[in-house]
């Protein structure tokens, strides 16, 4: 009896271990599936990783160019060039420009490039009438070595946290304060300067005339 009980205990232990192993594997898979992901599109292809990819339009439905904003990482040992960005299903064209100067947008080996925002590389969209705020747009980044990296990004207007990463075509409110500021500066500066100068010019001849008239009377 004791041997039978021992054999039963060993078998039960083996069963428990097997179930625990399966449960652990299942939990691991679920953990990967249900893991925390960034709010915006992200994808990794080979040594290239693209994160936070979005399309940003003019604020409040304003007309003008849109832009693509993203962060690109190159985990490889060789520099790669971002040759183009395409928006399938639209008539949009995307013009790339580096953060400084002209030429291609290069992602250095082991480095990263931010697209969008002041002082960063830019991807300006022209056309694209089918791009609608709140919709999901396929974005294709084409690299010199990795090739096409595809993902889907949400379309946001350039407001709130996306305001500083929006298209370079400045919305009309930005020009308005500048004009208003220039107007008051010009008015006070010109007015005082002109007034004393004009007064001095008119007084000077008057002063000369007065003594002359006095001399004639004497």
């Amino acid at each position: 009896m004791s041997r039978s009980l021992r054999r039963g205990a060993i078998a039960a232990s083996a069963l428990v271990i097997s179930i625990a192993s399966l449960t652990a594997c299942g939990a691991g898979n679920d953990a990967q599936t249900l893991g925390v992901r960034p709010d915006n599109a992200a994808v990794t292809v080979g040594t290239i990783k693209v994160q936070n990819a979005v399309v940003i339009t003019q604020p409040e439905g304003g007309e003008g160019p849109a832009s693509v904003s993203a962060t690109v990482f190159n985990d490889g040992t060789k520099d790669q060039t971002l040759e183009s960005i395409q928006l399938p299903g639209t008539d949009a064209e995307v013009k790339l420009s580096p953060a400084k100067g002209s030429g291609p947008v290069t992602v250095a080996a082991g480095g990263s490039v931010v697209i969008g925002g002041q002082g960063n590389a830019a991807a300006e969209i022209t056309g694209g009438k089918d791009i609608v705020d709140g919709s999901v747009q396929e974005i294709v980044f084409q690299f010199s070595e990795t090739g096409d990296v595809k993902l889907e990004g949400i379309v946001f207007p350039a407001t709130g946290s996306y305001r500083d990463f929006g298209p370079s075509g400045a919305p009309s409110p930005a020009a308005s304060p500048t004009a208003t500021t220039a107007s008051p500066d010009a008015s006070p500066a010109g007015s005082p300067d002109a007034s004393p100068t004009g007064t001095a010019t008119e007084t000077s001849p008057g002063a000369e005339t007065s003594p002359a008239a006095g001399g004639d009377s004497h």
Side-chain angles (χ1 to χ4, degrees):
M1 290 295 292
S2 60
R3 290 182 179 179
S4 299
L5 290 174
R6 288 176 184 173
R7 290 175 182 174
I10 293 172
S13 299
L15 180 61
V16 170
I17 293 172
S18 299
I19 293 173
S21 300
L22 291 173
T23 304
C25 292
N29 293 332
D30 289 342
Q32 292 178 357
T33 304
L34 302 177
V36 177
R37 299 179 180 180
D39 292 337
N40 300 320
V43 67
T44 300
V45 177
T47 59
I48 291 293
K49 181 188 299 181
V50 179
Q51 290 186 343
N52 299 324
V54 295
V55 175
I56 305 177
T57 61
Q58 293 286 341
E60 300 178 357
E63 295 184 358
S67 65
V68 174
S69 179
T71 303
V72 180
F73 298 88
N74 181 3
D75 294 331
T77 57
K78 185 176 180 179
D79 295 355
Q80 291 208 45
T81 299
L82 176 57
E83 297 181 338
S84 69
I85 296 179
Q86 299 176 356
L87 304 177
T90 72
D91 62 349
E93 294 184 0
V94 182
K95 178 183 178 182
L96 292 171
S97 56
K100 296 180 180 179
S102 59
V105 175
T106 301
V107 189
S112 62
V113 169
V114 177
I115 302 173
Q118 186 175 6
N120 300 322
E124 186 176 287
I125 302 170
T126 55
K129 296 180 179 180
D130 297 332
I131 298 175
V132 180
D133 291 347
S135 64
V136 176
Q137 173 63 51
E138 183 180 7
I139 309 172
V140 180
F141 296 80
Q142 187 174 42
F143 294 91
S144 54
E145 298 294 327
T146 302
D148 291 352
V149 176
K150 303 178 181 180
L151 69 168
E152 293 185 338
I154 301 176
V155 181
F156 292 100
T159 57
S161 59
Y162 295 99
R163 181 181 58 186
D164 297 332
F165 292 87
S168 59
S172 54
S176 180
T178 305
T180 305
T181 305
S183 176
D185 289 344
S187 177
S191 181
D193 291 343
S195 177
T197 304
T199 306
T201 304
E202 293 173 0
T203 304
S204 179
E208 293 175 0
T209 305
S210 178
D216 293 339
S217 61
H218 290 294

